Amino acid sequence: AYPPKDLVHVRAGILDDINEVVIGDVGWHGALSNLLIFHWCHRPLAQKEEELGAAYDAGDAAASHNMPLVLAVSAAASGHHNPSGKNWEAVTRLRGILETYRRSSP
């Protein structure tokens, strides 16, 4: 009610914690294209390593097709754009991993 006179003004915004910033154990809901951060916490270390490795592999695969990762993962789900090449499997693998964390409602 009575902030200090020397309180520093901080410019900030609100992140949608349902979809923009996701904690893996909590899950996510909504449009994948809105997802900004996916945090693998409270997962067994071996699972984290495997899934983070899959995310890096998918990023490399998307880059080899001159696509941002979010676009590549969205395209992999739609089936409308599945470029040829073995490395595209990394994108579809990451999509499958992310889908395991999806919730049907917020």
Side-chain angles (χ1 to χ4, degrees):
Y2 301 100
K5 293 183 192 297
D6 61 347
L7 183 66
V8 177
H9 177 71
V10 177
R11 294 185 59 171
I14 297 172
L15 294 174
D16 176 357
D17 67 347
I18 293 173
N19 193 27
E20 290 179 349
V21 179
V22 172
I23 296 172
D25 278 1
V26 175
W28 65 279
H29 173 78
L32 182 65
S33 60
N34 292 337
L35 191 130
L36 301 174
I37 299 169
F38 191 96
H39 180 52
W40 275 269
C41 65
H42 302 295
R43 302 276 82 199
L45 188 56
Q47 182 180 353
K48 273 188 198 184
E49 288 176 352
E50 181 182 333
E51 292 181 356
L52 285 168
Y56 280 108
D57 292 344
D60 291 343
S64 75
H65 292 280
N66 296 317
M67 298 176 77
L69 180 57
V70 68
L71 178 61
V73 172
S74 295
S78 72
H80 294 304
H81 185 79
N82 289 324
S84 61
K86 185 176 182 179
N87 65 353
W88 189 254
E89 292 173 5
V91 175
T92 56
R93 181 169 179 248
L94 177 61
R95 177 60 191 226
I97 290 168
L98 294 174
E99 286 296 333
T100 65
Y101 295 97
R102 184 191 285 261
R103 302 293 180 251
S104 59
S105 63

